[in-house]
């Protein structure tokens, strides 16, 4: 007899439907799996047969063929265990096949028949809704994750017998439901706060501008001045994730297996801080079976690169395309996979190898230049703000005067973001000033004569590139938004130019 069970496979961050066809026929007892299965899928044969026996079902005698269609798409991971087991039960008439076509099934089987959680359930649930299925059968630990998809029955199953009993109508399982509004409204106790940072008001101002416009920022200063401390507090002033951003972020984290058991949605902006020994594949993603790298795990959040010159030059250069396009494409012999990578880059570095400013350093000019040359000009051009982080004075450290809390800064950032949302309404690809293209720059960054002359002199004196010109306009637009101004004024342009001059003083 032939049985068909519906499942899904994840490629990139999207899922595609897979039909698990099971045919139980005559011949020597054997189970053959075809349809480009990887090693984990091939091993499911032993897991499934043992789970069937331990769950009290009969093992199929004769030659059983399992086809995972479409046959030209590689199938990876243990998520096909449960659909294969249910297909075997239906093909051997131990389970009525009447309701199998209504549900998409995923899950890994333990040898006892228990259903274990798997990666990538959210993309598969979205695919099931797109295919018009009634619902999904998923491991109980993944049920909340799938339940964020509206209009889909999410049936949590704990073991093989429970899944079979539900499909045969012997038991009723209440679908899992998740209140999305409640997820976003849950109060979050921030462990970090800008109120804990003494002094550094100019750096806090630059970080506020970066957060308000989604700009990349480079912090340059000696060790111990608070660069890492400031960077780690940046997520506390960023606006909350929208539902669309949260779904996209959760898909990436689900594929990477980073969701906690029972977690429904990633509701806080991610903060990723890879070590400077990270490889190309670790940062961008890749390996034999492409998986998301650090830049994709930081999607809609912050990627913090501490000790920027210590990263391998080849690793840093691979960041250039994702910074421009907001996505990364990984090409392998088997095909290409695209992951989203729209993140805020926050980088920190010392100005010289020994950590002192150039005028105070004992290193030779050649040593300093070799150290700085590890960060290329094209990469610096893609960083909108460059800010010096000076040493904190003793009176600031010892002061009892309370610093401004993250909540106050965040309120100004969100007000500026609301102005941008209004401005870019009808432009779904542009969510903040940093994402403006040439068309938006011409329309929303018009300068008066005084501002244009100021910018012309800065371009000539600092020998800035055309890309830096665009970056100054975007930052000036953000500064104007923070000031509540519809027009970009000369003082906004002047402040934006300030944030491009430091790299020319040091690298020049």
């Amino acid at each position: 007899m032939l049985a068909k069970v519906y499942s899904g496979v994840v490629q990139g961050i999207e899922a595609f439907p897979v039909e698990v066809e099971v045919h139980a026929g005559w011949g020597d007892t054997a189970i053959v799996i075809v349809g480009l299965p990887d090693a984990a899928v091939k091993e499911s044969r032993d897991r499934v047969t043992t789970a069937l026996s331990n769950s009290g079902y009969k093992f199929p005698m004769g030659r059983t063929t399992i086809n995972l269609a479409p046959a030209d798409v590689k199938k990876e991971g243990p998520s096909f265990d449960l659909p294969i087991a249910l297909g075997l039960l239906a093909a051997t008439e131990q389970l009525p096949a009447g309701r199998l076509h209504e549900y998409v099934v995923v899950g890994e089987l333990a040898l006892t028949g228990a259903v274990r959680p798997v990666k990538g359930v959210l993309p598969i649930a979205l695919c099931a809704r797109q295919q018009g299925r009634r619902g999904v059968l998923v491991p109980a630990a993944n049920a909340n994750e799938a339940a964020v998809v509206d209009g889909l029955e999410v049936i949590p199953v704990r073991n093989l017998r429970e899944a079979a009993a539900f499909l045969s109508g012997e038991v009723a399982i209440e679908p899992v439901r998740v209140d999305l509004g409640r997820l976003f409204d849950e109060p979050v106790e921030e462990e970090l706060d800008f109120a804990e940072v003494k002094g550094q008001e100019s750096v806090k101002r630059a970080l506020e501008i970066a957060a308000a416009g989604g700009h990349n920022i480079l912090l340059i200063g000696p060790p111990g001045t608070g660069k890492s401390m400031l960077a780690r507090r940046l997520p506390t002033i960023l606006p909350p994730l929208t539902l669309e951003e949260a779904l996209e972020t959760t898909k990436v984290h689900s594929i990477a297996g980073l969701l906690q058991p029972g977690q429904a949605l990633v509701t806080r902006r991610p903060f990723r801080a890879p070590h400077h020994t990270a490889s190309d594949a670790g940062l961008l993603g890749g390996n034999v079976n492409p998986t998301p790298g650090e830049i994709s795990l930081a999607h809609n959040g912050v990627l913090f690169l501490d000790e920027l010159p210590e990263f391998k030059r080849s690793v840093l250069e691979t960041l250039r395309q994702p910074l421009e396009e907001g996505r990364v494409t990984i090409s392998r012999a088997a095909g290409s996979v695209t992951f989203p990578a729209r993140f805020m880059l926050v980088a920190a570095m010392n100005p010289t190898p020994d950590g002192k400013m150039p005028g105070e350093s004992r290193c030779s000019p050649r040593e300093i230049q070799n150290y700085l040359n590890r960060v290329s000009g094209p990469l610096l051009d893609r960083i909108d703000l460059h800010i010096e982080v000076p040493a904190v004075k003793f009176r600031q450290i010892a002061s009892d005067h309370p610093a401004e809390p993250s909540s106050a800064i965040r309120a100004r950032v969100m007000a500026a973001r609301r102005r941008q949302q209004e401005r870019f309404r009808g432009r779904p690809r542009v969510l903040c000033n940093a994402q403006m293209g040439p068309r938006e720059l011409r329309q929303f960054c018009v300068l008066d004569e005084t501002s244009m002359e100021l910018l012309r002199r800065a371009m000539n004196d600092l020998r800035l590139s055309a890309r830096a010109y665009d970056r100054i306009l975007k930052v000036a637009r953000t500064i104007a938004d923070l000031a509540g101004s519809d027009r970009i004024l000369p003082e906004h342009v002047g402040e934006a130019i300030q944030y491009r001059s430091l790299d020319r003083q040091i690298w020049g």
Side-chain angles (χ1 to χ4, degrees), residues 477-498:
R477 178 68 268 172
T478 300
I479 295 169
D481 287 338
L482 282 168
S485 173
D486 293 328
R487 294 172 52 243
I488 299 177
L489 303 177
E491 55 263 33
H492 304 148
V493 176
E495 186 176 357
I497 291 170
Q498 262 187 302

Side-chain angles (χ1 to χ4, degrees), residues 129-275:
R129 183 180 66 179
Q130 190 177 9
Q131 293 292 311
R133 303 292 171 202
R134 179 177 174 179
V136 290
L137 262 70
V138 297
N142 294 125
N144 286 343
E145 176 190 343
V148 301
V149 181
D150 193 32
L152 201 66
E153 276 188 18
V154 177
I155 308 299
V157 291
R158 292 185 292 272
N159 53 63
L160 176 57
R161 288 203 69 86
E162 189 177 53
F166 170 78
L167 290 170
S168 63
E170 295 175 15
V171 298
I173 300 177
E174 190 68 24
V176 174
R177 290 181 175 82
V178 170
D179 186 349
L180 291 176
R182 187 177 171 186
L183 283 177
F184 283 98
D185 292 340
E186 284 181 359
V188 177
E189 289 188 16
E190 298 287 0
E191 298 175 0
L192 306 173
D193 198 289
F194 270 100
E196 300 158 356
V197 183
K198 301 290 184 71
Q200 305 296 18
E201 298 305 321
S202 61
V203 187
K204 291 179 185 176
R205 167 67 176 173
L207 287 169
E208 180 181 337
I209 294 168
H215 303 289
N216 304 319
I217 184 169
L218 173 63
L219 308 176
I220 308 171
T225 55
K227 299 188 294 295
S228 300
M229 188 179 185
L230 287 157
R232 292 186 182 279
R233 282 154 180 75
L234 181 60
T236 65
I237 63 172
L238 289 172
L241 289 167
T242 63
L243 176 58
E244 186 179 346
E245 287 176 328
L247 284 171
E248 207 169 39
T249 306
T250 306
K251 283 161 73 173
V252 176
H253 285 242
S254 173
I255 293 159
L258 295 179
L259 294 183
Q260 299 299 318
Q263 184 178 1
L265 207 62
V266 176
T267 55
R268 301 179 67 183
R269 293 191 180 272
F271 179 89
R272 305 293 299 183
H275 193 259

Side-chain angles (χ1 to χ4, degrees), residues 137-463:
L137 262 70
V138 297
N142 294 125
N144 286 343
E145 176 190 343
V148 301
V149 181
D150 193 32
L152 201 66
E153 276 188 18
V154 177
I155 308 299
V157 291
R158 292 185 292 272
N159 53 63
L160 176 57
R161 288 203 69 86
E162 189 177 53
F166 170 78
L167 290 170
S168 63
E170 295 175 15
V171 298
I173 300 177
E174 190 68 24
V176 174
R177 290 181 175 82
V178 170
D179 186 349
L180 291 176
R182 187 177 171 186
L183 283 177
F184 283 98
D185 292 340
E186 284 181 359
V188 177
E189 289 188 16
E190 298 287 0
E191 298 175 0
L192 306 173
D193 198 289
F194 270 100
E196 300 158 356
V197 183
K198 301 290 184 71
Q200 305 296 18
E201 298 305 321
S202 61
V203 187
K204 291 179 185 176
R205 167 67 176 173
L207 287 169
E208 180 181 337
I209 294 168
H215 303 289
N216 304 319
I217 184 169
L218 173 63
L219 308 176
I220 308 171
T225 55
K227 299 188 294 295
S228 300
M229 188 179 185
L230 287 157
R232 292 186 182 279
R233 282 154 180 75
L234 181 60
T236 65
I237 63 172
L238 289 172
L241 289 167
T242 63
L243 176 58
E244 186 179 346
E245 287 176 328
L247 284 171
E248 207 169 39
T249 306
T250 306
K251 283 161 73 173
V252 176
H253 285 242
S254 173
I255 293 159
L258 295 179
L259 294 183
Q260 299 299 318
Q263 184 178 1
L265 207 62
V266 176
T267 55
R268 301 179 67 183
R269 293 191 180 272
F271 179 89
R272 305 293 299 183
H275 193 259
H276 61 256
T277 55
S279 64
D280 300 32
L283 205 62
L284 267 73
N287 299 323
V288 179
N289 300 324
T291 53
E294 290 291 340
I295 64 172
S296 296
L297 295 173
H299 180 58
N300 290 323
V302 176
L303 178 70
F304 177 46
L305 301 183
D306 201 5
E307 304 295 346
L308 186 66
E310 301 300 332
F311 283 82
K312 286 189 290 187
R313 178 74 176 257
S314 61
V315 172
L316 291 180
E317 292 307 298
T318 56
L319 286 175
R320 285 158 56 175
Q321 182 221 0
L323 282 171
E324 287 289 326
E325 300 181 3
R327 63 181 186 273
V328 58
T329 301
I330 301 164
S331 297
R332 295 289 183 269
S336 296
V337 174
T338 299
F339 293 113
R342 191 172 56 245
F343 57 89
M344 273 184 64
L345 174 64
V346 180
M349 62 175 288
N350 299 326
T352 59
D354 60 3
K356 302 185 185 303
M357 294 303 287
E360 305 167 354
S361 175
R362 294 184 177 180
C363 298
S364 69
R366 180 181 291 276
E367 288 174 328
I368 295 174
Q369 200 58 46
N370 289 340
Y371 175 76
L372 296 174
N373 284 343
R374 297 180 190 175
V375 184
S376 69
L379 180 62
L380 282 172
D381 267 351
R382 288 167 169 82
I383 300 177
D384 305 355
L385 297 95
H386 310 119
I387 182 77
E388 181 183 347
V389 185
V392 185
K393 295 181 173 63
F394 174 78
R395 60 181 175 82
Q396 292 175 320
I397 299 173
S399 172
D400 292 332
H401 183 70
E404 189 176 30
S406 293
S407 56
I409 304 172
R410 189 182 194 182
R412 295 195 296 270
V413 168
M414 291 179 65
R417 285 286 182 116
R418 282 193 292 271
R419 295 178 70 90
Q420 293 167 50
Q421 289 169 4
E422 188 66 30
R423 180 183 303 128
F424 302 131
R425 184 176 292 176
R427 302 170 191 261
R429 295 185 179 180
V430 183
L431 303 176
C432 56
N433 289 335
Q435 296 170 11
M436 285 192 290
R439 186 180 302 173
E440 288 80 23
L441 283 173
R442 287 195 302 271
Q443 184 175 352
F444 302 119
C445 298
V446 179
L447 302 182
D448 57 25
E449 288 186 15
T450 307
S451 301
M452 188 62 78
E453 177 60 24
L454 184 64
L455 186 52
R456 185 190 66 79
R457 289 207 306 270
M459 291 288 293
N460 291 336
D461 294 347
L462 299 173
R463 302 189 303 278

